[in-house]
Amino acid sequence: MNTLAARFNAIFGADMAGPLAALAAVLIVFGVASPHFLTSATFGSVAFQLPELGILTLAMLMPILTGGLNLAITFTANIAGLTLAWTLQANGGIDAGPGAFLLGSALALAVGAASGLVMGVVIAFTRAHPILVSLSMMIFLRGLGEFLTRGGDISGFPTFIAPIGHGSILGIPVPLLILIACVIASHILLSRSKLGFSTYMIGSNIESARYSGINTRKVLVLVYMLSGVMAAVAGIIMLARFNSVRVGHGESYLLITVLACFLGGINPFGGFGRVLPVFVALIVLQLLSSGLNLLGANQHLTTAVWGILLIVVMVLRWLSAKIIRIVK
């Protein structure tokens, strides 16, 4: 048994055991409960619904690894989407060309980076708690968006944008391909770059990281800027998928991004965690949602189950840590 566990840890990593076990449990339980669960329709639906949630989770991941949090990711995505929408509207709306879309996307990414820059600077230089700083940014972005749109939405975009939200290449949804590219980029950044190493060091002990020569202020600013850029990518995909933008799109995703990070083995205090287990955890949560829908549960019950699952995950992690200490 110990040899088998050692081989598994060597191949996948110890933090993959929980997400893979949860994936197997969801497939078995809902596969038995509903004859329509293990079908191509279910997995196709998951493939189209997963990307914006997945990219927002990646936007949440890096701040958590530093021991922080970014509560503004969904409203950063909204403002970025609104920026792209306003650019398209100013250049002909439904008749806007690819040039207007590229300009709007660049501006949307810049807005996301600016949002992260402000949070990163405040957190790095004032040492204010990331929860308070990101909560303040969330309130600001929500109020700004409501003011500029008067609580309404913006719709009517060029048809060539639709494939970004609904298209497929060789049977694989385009949004899923974008998510996979973001997962690979995040994995490489965290596991093979100086910024990734510094991120883990800051999450483990920011004072030790500072004394070891790491420019912790610069790293924190970059981390929150990248978080904002990733949220902006999600905002662009949501615009293409829904063919409209309004403040509040994806607001319920905030809880799920935190849940996916913890289910994927991310240490809530920072310093430990990988991208791939989080990606598996995202698939588990989306399959759970689809399974509950097939059983007739509404979205409100699904949200409640996600909340309970977050509590269960924290309790199980506490119990496993206690058992490990006793065994040692």
Side-chain angles (χ1 to χ4, degrees):
M1 183 64 71
N2 291 336
T3 303
L4 183 62
R7 288 181 179 177
F8 178 91
N9 292 341
I11 297 173
F12 299 104
D15 53 354
M16 282 291 284
L20 288 176
L23 177 61
V26 167
L27 290 174
I28 293 172
V29 170
F30 286 107
V32 172
S34 172
H36 304 292
F37 181 71
L38 297 177
T39 62
S40 59
T42 298
F43 293 106
S45 175
V46 168
F48 273 106
Q49 293 175 11
L50 183 65
E52 63 260 27
L53 172 60
I55 295 174
L56 285 172
T57 301
L58 294 176
M60 180 66 79
L61 174 60
M62 286 189 69
I64 291 181
L65 287 175
T66 65
L69 204 65
N70 184 358
L71 298 176
I73 53 172
T74 55
F75 289 102
T76 300
N78 293 158
I79 289 294
L82 287 169
T83 301
L84 173 55
W86 288 324
T87 304
L88 293 171
Q89 291 290 325
N91 288 275
I94 196 171
D95 297 319
F101 174 72
L102 292 176
L103 174 62
S105 296
L107 291 174
L109 295 176
V111 166
S115 169
L117 173 63
V118 172
M119 287 186 289
V121 167
V122 174
I123 292 168
F125 286 86
T126 71
R127 298 193 182 184
H129 200 288
I131 291 180
L132 296 177
V133 176
S134 60
L135 178 62
S136 300
M137 179 59 71
M138 180 185 76
I139 294 171
F140 167 73
L141 293 176
R142 180 173 190 169
L144 179 64
E146 294 284 3
F147 170 74
L148 293 174
T149 62
R150 293 179 172 82
D153 58 5
I154 300 177
S155 59
F157 306 119
T159 55
F160 67 80
I161 296 177
I164 297 176
H166 301 281
S168 299
I169 297 178
L170 300 177
I172 304 175
V174 172
L176 183 60
L177 291 174
I178 297 174
L179 170 60
I180 292 173
C182 291
V183 168
I184 293 173
S186 298
H187 173 72
I188 293 173
L189 176 68
L190 288 172
S191 62
R192 300 182 181 275
S193 74
K194 182 179 178 181
L195 177 60
F197 173 78
S198 300
T199 298
Y200 286 113
M201 285 289 290
I202 289 174
S204 297
N205 191 315
I206 190 169
E207 293 301 327
S208 296
R210 183 178 294 112
Y211 286 126
S212 67
I214 294 174
N215 188 337
T216 56
R217 289 177 173 174
K218 179 181 178 181
V219 172
L220 285 172
V221 171
L222 288 174
V223 163
Y224 280 88
M225 284 183 67
L226 289 173
S227 176
V229 169
M230 197 68 75
V233 173
I236 294 171
I237 293 178
M238 286 193 286
L239 177 147
R241 183 181 175 196
F242 300 121
N243 196 36
S244 67
V245 186
R246 67 174 177 81
V247 177
H249 265 169
E251 189 174 0
S252 62
Y253 288 157
L254 183 61
L255 165 68
I256 313 167
T257 60
V258 176
L259 174 56
C261 287
F262 292 165
L263 184 60
I266 303 298
N267 188 330
F269 301 105
F272 179 80
R274 295 190 301 143
V275 174
L276 296 181
V278 173
F279 181 59
V280 176
L282 282 166
I283 297 173
V284 170
L285 293 175
Q286 198 60 62
L287 286 171
L288 177 64
S289 176
S290 298
L292 290 172
N293 287 337
L294 286 173
L295 295 179
N298 60 31
Q299 184 59 43
H300 299 296
L301 179 59
T302 301
T303 303
V305 171
W306 279 330
I308 291 296
L309 184 58
L310 178 56
I311 296 174
V312 171
V313 167
M314 288 187 290
V315 172
L316 289 177
R317 291 182 67 172
W318 173 78
L319 287 174
S320 63
K322 191 170 183 179
I323 291 171
I324 290 173
R325 285 197 298 269
I326 292 174
V327 170
K328 288 183 178 181

